[in-house]
Amino acid sequence: MTPQPNPEAGAAVKAADRAHVFHSWSAQELIDPLAVAGAEGSYFWDYDGKRYLDFTSGLVFTNIGYQHPKVVAAIQEQAATLSTFAPAFAVEARSEAARLIAERAPGDLDKIFFTNAGADAVEHAVRMARLHTGRPKVLSAYRSYHGGTQQAVNITGDPRRWPSDSATAGVVRFWAPFLYRSRFYAETEEQECARALEHLETTIAFEGPGTIAAIILETIPGTAGIMVPPPGYLAGVRELCDKYGIVFVLDEVMAGFGRTGEWFAADLSGVVPDLMTFAKGVNSGYVPLGGVAISGKIAETFGKRAYPGGLTYSGHPLACAAAVATINVMAEEGVVENARHLGESVVGPALRELAERHPSVGDVRGVGMFWALELVKNRETREPLVPYNAAGEANAPMAAFGAAAKKHGLWPFVNMNRTHVVPPCTATEAELKEGFAALDAALGVADEYTE
């Protein structure tokens, strides 16, 4: 679709937004939201007709791109047939979505509890784990994000938690592996894995295994930095959970549904959790949907004992119809395989080539269509380009980098000292080449702040 400029309409949209919309994670008077006129595939555009290649996939959810005609048609058809219905009933779209998800989930995660998003999926997974074990504590990692609701944000391990940290959520944090900024003085992935597991088991021992309901991990941490765990780490956590009777929860909200070149990132390690949360890519964000995939032993706990939780819109027919269509599209069009191919043959090599040319790039990491560049002031010392949780003038280098990317028609995902490269899993090689050219130019601006 060719964008048609309409600045007057854009001004009206912007004015209404500024007058009435309260934006998340923002100081309301300091933001200037872009008014979006439309989107298709890997692109969106504003009311001036300027197109942007979306290297954020919305918020890492448009795995099949914007406006896929089969998903749009499925939503329209469902709306004409049965637009909504209460969650206590059996509805075709809901049943089929659950079947398709369970069919692709690892191991025996055959029961699906639907939520409206990823945060409430995490809330319910934690509730299930506590009720199943009768224990109060949850262990989660620093450098993690699990959602913005009260329990989920308290489980989170990055600065977004701080303003809402109640210190009463029964959460204990530990360090997960991240070799580039190792907390264990490791020099190899093997050392990092072994020392991280030793640290976790020590944490379990000192907290008291009999007090811990669950360990929750993002299979691959997302906004915290796309840190692919070293081989053997998730399997080691699985063993510790089995050893101490702890529920293992994997958060696949961001990494799931093809993003890593597998249906779920857990498939990369062959690990089966007890509970797995999902959202985002399950229907490419076309209608809000999330959920928890539940193992047999957890489901059995609630076989004759009511699960004390639910949502008015759990398994909403429109959202589930979108999920059915999305999963079928992904299977029919080889979207998962495309993500794997592009990650191995296009994205990874291109990002490593950019790193060779730009002193501001300290690290390149990722898999499938799930990548990050760590930006640094000094490659040798690995000093971050901006301080941890920088804001205002202290964040100027990253702000300049982001502005340069947008100037060149690339919408970046910038978080602290990282830019994430997470375009739709349906992106073409030509689109990626265009994006890397823009990223190359933007990194030139970041280079100006290096030593």
Side-chain angles (χ1 to χ4, degrees):
M1 180 181 293
T2 302
Q4 299 299 318
N6 191 342
E8 293 80 9
V13 169
K14 188 69 163 289
D17 177 280
R18 296 290 67 221
H20 303 294
V21 177
F22 192 94
H23 286 261
S24 58
W25 304 114
S26 302
Q28 304 303 303
E29 296 179 8
L30 302 181
I31 58 174
D32 184 27
L34 181 73
V36 177
E40 186 175 52
S42 300
Y43 296 88
F44 65 90
W45 51 89
D46 62 22
Y47 284 89
D48 292 326
K50 181 172 181 178
R51 285 204 323 168
Y52 296 90
L53 179 58
D54 188 2
F55 260 34
T56 73
S57 290
L59 272 177
V60 198
F61 57 72
T62 54
N63 289 8
I64 62 168
Y66 295 100
Q67 299 300 111
H68 194 291
K70 290 184 178 179
V71 181
V72 172
I75 296 169
Q76 293 170 334
E77 182 179 343
Q78 184 65 45
T81 303
L82 185 66
S83 58
T84 189
F85 217 81
F89 296 82
V91 174
E92 182 181 8
R94 186 181 299 142
S95 301
E96 180 64 1
R99 185 188 72 81
L100 290 173
I101 294 165
E103 194 175 78
R104 288 159 174 80
D108 69 335
L109 304 182
D110 292 330
K111 294 285 189 179
I112 308 299
F113 177 81
F114 285 113
T115 65
N116 299 323
D120 50 351
V122 169
E123 297 269 350
H124 283 280
V126 168
R127 186 182 303 181
M128 290 175 188
R130 285 175 167 156
L131 291 170
H132 175 73
T133 61
R135 301 172 179 178
K137 292 179 186 174
V138 176
L139 267 58
S140 70
Y142 289 108
R143 305 188 186 112
S144 68
Y145 181 73
H146 294 288
T149 52
Q150 185 62 17
Q151 180 69 70
V153 83
N154 271 270
I155 291 170
T156 287
D158 76 12
R160 283 168 289 189
R161 179 188 82 251
W162 297 349
S164 305
D165 194 336
S166 66
T168 60
V171 180
V172 176
R173 267 164 285 277
F174 61 93
W175 289 106
F178 178 32
L179 183 59
Y180 186 72
R181 299 198 181 281
S182 176
R183 303 303 303 173
F184 308 111
Y185 306 99
E187 297 179 353
T188 67
E189 283 197 327
E190 292 78 11
Q191 287 180 351
E192 183 75 359
C193 179
R195 294 173 187 181
L197 288 171
E198 180 184 25
H199 159 70
L200 176 55
E201 185 162 22
T202 300
T203 302
I204 292 170
F206 277 80
E207 285 297 327
T211 70
I212 300 168
I215 295 174
I216 184 170
L217 286 168
E218 293 174 273
T219 316
I220 297 176
T223 53
I226 307 184
M227 299 167 288
V228 181
Y233 179 72
L234 292 179
V237 176
R238 173 75 272 178
E239 290 176 6
L240 290 175
C241 287
D242 291 339
K243 180 177 179 180
Y244 295 108
I246 297 169
V247 172
F248 189 18
V249 183
L250 281 181
D251 183 339
E252 290 261 359
V253 169
M254 193 170 284
F257 291 96
R259 176 58 54 185
T260 65
E262 301 289 343
W263 278 102
F264 294 99
D267 297 335
L268 294 168
S269 60
V271 169
V272 179
D274 301 301
L275 297 168
M276 184 178 73
T277 63
F278 63 86
K280 293 185 183 287
V282 65
N283 63 9
S284 233
Y286 283 38
V287 182
L289 183 67
V292 185
I294 307 166
S295 67
K297 66 180 180 181
I298 305 291
E300 187 178 350
T301 296
F302 304 103
K304 295 183 180 179
R305 168 189 176 188
Y307 172 65
L311 306 97
T312 299
Y313 305 122
S314 177
H316 193 283
L318 294 183
C320 287
V324 171
T326 296
I327 293 169
N328 286 334
V329 162
M330 293 178 73
E332 293 164 3
E333 299 183 5
V335 173
V336 177
E337 294 81 2
N338 187 60
R340 185 186 311 131
H341 162 72
L342 290 176
E344 293 174 353
S345 303
V346 181
V347 181
L351 294 181
R352 285 187 279 269
E353 183 181 336
L354 287 176
E356 291 178 2
R357 294 205 303 273
H358 293 283
S360 58
V361 179
D363 191 36
V364 176
R365 52 184 181 266
V367 62
M369 296 291 271
F370 204 36
W371 292 80
L373 299 179
E374 182 105 359
L375 303 188
V376 295
K377 185 178 291 186
N378 185 303
R379 271 187 178 175
E380 297 302 315
T381 65
R382 300 186 180 182
E383 179 184 354
L385 191 64
V386 301
Y388 185 68
N389 201 36
E393 187 58 33
N395 194 52
M398 290 302 294
F401 164 79
K406 294 171 186 177
K407 178 182 177 182
H408 288 87
L410 177 72
W411 199 267
F413 188 147
V414 179
N415 184 32
M416 295 191 186
N417 287 286
R418 297 170 295 272
T419 182
H420 295 173
V421 179
V422 287
C425 300
T426 51
T428 66
E429 293 191 22
E431 290 168 348
L432 292 173
K433 183 177 180 180
E434 175 188 336
F436 295 141
L439 186 58
D440 190 14
L443 287 170
V445 173
D447 291 341
E448 296 174 7
Y449 295 90
T450 60
E451 297 175 347

